Amino acid sequence: MALTLRALAAERPLGLRVRAAESGLDRPIGWVHPTELTDPQAFLEGGELLLTTGLALDETTSPAYLRRLVDAGVAGLGFGVGLSHETIPRSLVETAEEVGLPVLEVPRKTPFIAITRAVSRAVAADEYASLVRTGKGQQELTRTAVGKGGPGGVVRKLAKLVDGWVLLLDSAGAVTEASPASARHFADEMREDLVRLRAGTLVTVAGEDEVVLQTLDTRARGVLAVGTREPLDAAGQHIVNTAVSLLSLALEQNREHSGALRRLRSGLCELLAAGHTELATRTMKTLWGGAPEVPWPVLAVTGPAGARRSLADALDAEVAGEKVFFGESGAFVLALGEVEAVIRLVSRIGGLHAGLAEPVSTVDFPTGLRQAKQAAEAAKAERTELVRFAEHAGRGFLELVDSQAAQAFADSLLAPLRQHDETGRGELVASLKCWLEHHGHWDLASARLGVHRHTLRNRMRKVADLTGRDLDSPGVRAEFWLALQVSPQRT
């Protein structure tokens, strides 16, 4: 820690006496500079303890002299008495108190060289302590990086070393690691700064903390954010730079590892498509601790290469491997298992088109894959987000039916339900469509509609009563489905 004016004044052998601005004694001393110039600004960098005997000063010139020192940013003034002046000029003391510049009276017996040596020893000790702290911090970060902690461990260790908080953000500005976890909210305060940061370092403020934003040297641009109450000292800056290098290396290694896993996923998709389901599922369980339960809903997603990569990245980070398996197959990202989470990601990323096949057994996976890809192509052609193969196939059948005859049949069959709905006594048409879409599954359909399953049962009984049709009959259900597909705009 740098030597302060207060600590220097406390060294008894020097015999220094505080004469003005005692409240400013906690300023650190960068160096000592003796001079008798009345305007030494051109020779100062700021932070110095200036030493003078006041050879060219008197009561008239002292106030302007003090103000020039303040403009130069000196830490304080040491005034030697017993040579040019028996005491420090009163106007100098009064002005120093007014402008807040500490003044130390140096007795005749204390040579300026003694003060210079005291500060020099302190600066050398401070530099040595900084060097030791830097080396120790670099060693701790390196041990953490090569251990099992990974990037998260490096982030946590760095936060302790700088006594602050640390965020690791991906190229989209999303927080991937945080220490402490409560620091995640700072990312929202830095959105504009993250947009402005192209490469290198940017210093900003979040709350009451100074924040250093440093880009990582990776192909996928990430950012390290380090927040502290006080600006980082030299050791802190070196430690942060070490963390940036280690994280860049670790993330690039993770990227290569992820690339290898994705190529393996693609290979497993090819095995499944070729009918080698036992080998594929056994490999899934070995690598990811499990495989999705059979039967598998199969989802195929197509779209621009960048959007597909974003989907694969999100699936890697957010979706559990034992519940959903995904892989890339040509221009498609394939997913099987609990694909609802994947569909939500498709919607969030945007620019993608998905096709969903009905659940299939492992033996029928090639058929499900073909159907999912056909539905995805249909979704792309229609510029819609999701097409279910059952709907797509149904529309294909409708093209074989005379449109006028089909429309007349649909109007006749659905007329009682529409007349009932127009009275405001229920939503029979919408409820029937949702129930059929969920294959008569009461819980799923009622949840989608937002009603109790008993309410849905009552509505379906009302449909049967009004139309005189038995909804337990597969043929009747097919007729209703056909009618709803013929005139969907009226449902």
Side-chain angles (χ1 to χ4, degrees):
M1 184 174 181
L3 181 70
T4 63
L5 291 169
R6 188 181 303 279
L8 181 67
E11 294 194 14
R12 292 182 176 232
L14 296 177
L16 304 178
R17 178 186 172 195
V18 180
R19 292 296 308 275
E22 186 172 355
S23 61
L25 290 179
D26 292 322
R27 296 177 183 177
I29 303 172
W31 195 242
V32 180
H33 183 64
T35 180
E36 298 300 332
L37 295 175
T38 57
D39 186 5
Q41 294 182 77
F43 306 98
L44 301 176
E45 295 180 350
E48 298 91 351
L49 172 62
L50 200 68
L51 301 179
T52 183
T53 63
L55 181 64
L57 298 176
D58 55 29
E59 293 288 352
T60 303
T61 58
S62 290
Y65 172 73
L66 255 294
R67 297 184 190 282
R68 286 193 291 272
L69 296 188
V70 171
D71 292 340
V74 301
L77 175 67
F79 197 101
V81 296
L83 292 173
S84 303
H85 297 269
E86 289 300 318
T87 61
I88 301 176
R90 179 180 299 178
S91 63
L92 188 148
V93 174
E94 292 175 350
T95 304
E97 194 69 47
E98 177 187 341
V99 299
L101 181 68
V103 174
L104 304 179
E105 182 180 285
V106 183
R108 174 70 179 81
K109 65 178 183 177
T110 302
F112 283 175
I113 190 64
I115 298 175
T116 301
R117 285 173 178 167
V119 173
S120 179
R121 286 194 301 269
V123 169
D126 188 52
E127 289 179 349
Y128 178 75
S130 177
L131 182 63
V132 170
R133 181 183 162 215
T134 299
K136 183 179 179 182
Q138 290 174 336
Q139 290 176 357
E140 292 185 23
L141 286 171
T142 302
R143 281 196 297 268
T144 302
V146 300
K148 297 181 179 180
V154 173
V155 166
R156 290 188 291 274
K157 178 62 70 175
L158 178 60
K160 291 180 181 179
L161 290 173
V162 300
D163 190 24
W165 54 264
V166 179
L167 300 180
L168 181 61
L169 304 104
D170 63 17
S171 57
V175 178
T176 59
E177 299 288 349
S179 182
S182 58
R184 287 178 173 272
H185 73 276
F186 285 116
D188 294 330
E189 300 182 36
M190 300 184 294
R191 291 298 175 199
E192 293 184 3
D193 296 314
L194 291 171
V195 171
R196 287 193 296 122
L197 180 62
R198 298 293 182 183
T201 304
L202 176 67
V203 178
T204 184
V205 175
E208 299 180 357
D209 298 338
E210 179 177 283
V211 183
V212 176
L213 299 176
Q214 175 71 55
T215 56
L216 302 182
D217 186 17
T218 58
R219 282 173 288 177
R221 187 178 70 91
V223 177
L224 184 68
V226 180
T228 52
R229 284 301 171 94
E230 300 294 332
L232 290 171
D233 57 13
Q237 293 171 9
H238 287 307
I239 290 171
V240 169
N241 288 338
T242 299
V244 167
S245 298
L246 292 171
L247 286 169
S248 297
L249 179 60
L251 291 174
E252 277 300 294
Q253 290 176 337
N254 285 351
R255 183 184 179 89
E256 293 298 328
H257 178 68
S258 296
L261 283 179
R262 288 187 185 177
R263 290 190 291 273
L264 178 57
R265 289 179 181 274
S266 297
L268 291 176
C269 287
E270 293 178 6
L271 286 177
L272 289 171
H276 302 296
T277 55
E278 182 179 351
L279 175 59
T281 53
R282 188 167 65 244
T283 305
M284 289 180 203
K285 293 175 182 178
T286 301
L287 292 176
W288 293 286
E293 293 185 6
V294 178
W296 295 330
V298 183
L299 185 76
V301 183
T302 190
R308 297 201 310 271
R309 282 195 299 270
S310 296
L311 176 61
D313 289 340
L315 288 170
D316 258 336
E318 302 178 28
V319 178
E322 68 275 10
K323 294 183 178 181
V324 177
F325 173 78
F326 75 93
E328 296 171 77
S329 176
F332 295 90
V333 175
L334 308 179
L336 54 91
E338 298 179 13
V339 297
E340 292 80 6
V342 185
I343 294 173
R344 288 193 293 271
L345 288 175
V346 168
S347 179
R348 189 178 80 189
I349 293 171
L352 294 167
H353 308 283
L356 180 62
E358 294 299 311
V360 294
S361 66
T362 56
V363 175
D364 293 329
F365 176 79
T367 300
L369 176 60
R370 175 177 51 80
Q371 293 176 350
K373 287 184 174 181
Q374 287 179 0
E377 292 289 3
K380 182 178 180 180
E382 298 172 12
R383 298 183 180 179
T384 188
E385 194 172 276
L386 175 66
V387 167
R388 300 174 187 273
F389 180 77
E391 298 175 355
H392 174 62
R395 288 198 295 269
F397 171 75
L398 291 176
E399 294 178 359
L400 305 176
V401 180
D402 180 79
S403 59
Q404 292 184 351
Q407 186 68 61
F409 170 77
D411 290 342
S412 174
L413 182 59
L414 299 177
L417 308 184
R418 288 171 174 156
Q419 291 172 5
H420 177 275
D421 288 351
E422 288 172 358
T423 66
R425 292 177 293 169
E427 298 180 359
L428 297 185
V429 175
S431 298
L432 174 62
K433 187 174 186 295
C434 183
W435 182 69
L436 290 173
E437 286 176 344
H438 289 82
H439 311 291
H441 195 295
W442 299 104
D443 290 335
L444 292 177
S446 60
R448 177 61 63 89
L449 289 167
V451 300
H452 195 277
R453 63 179 179 275
H454 294 322
T455 300
L456 181 59
R457 288 181 184 274
N458 289 335
R459 290 180 181 178
M460 293 304 98
R461 278 196 290 269
K462 190 67 174 178
V463 169
D465 292 342
L466 291 174
T467 61
R469 304 293 181 105
D470 180 7
L471 291 177
D472 289 333
S473 168
V476 171
R477 293 189 186 186
E479 289 179 349
F480 274 117
W481 180 252
L482 175 63
L484 290 166
Q485 297 303 305
V486 167
S487 52
Q489 72 281 4
R490 299 185 59 187
T491 61

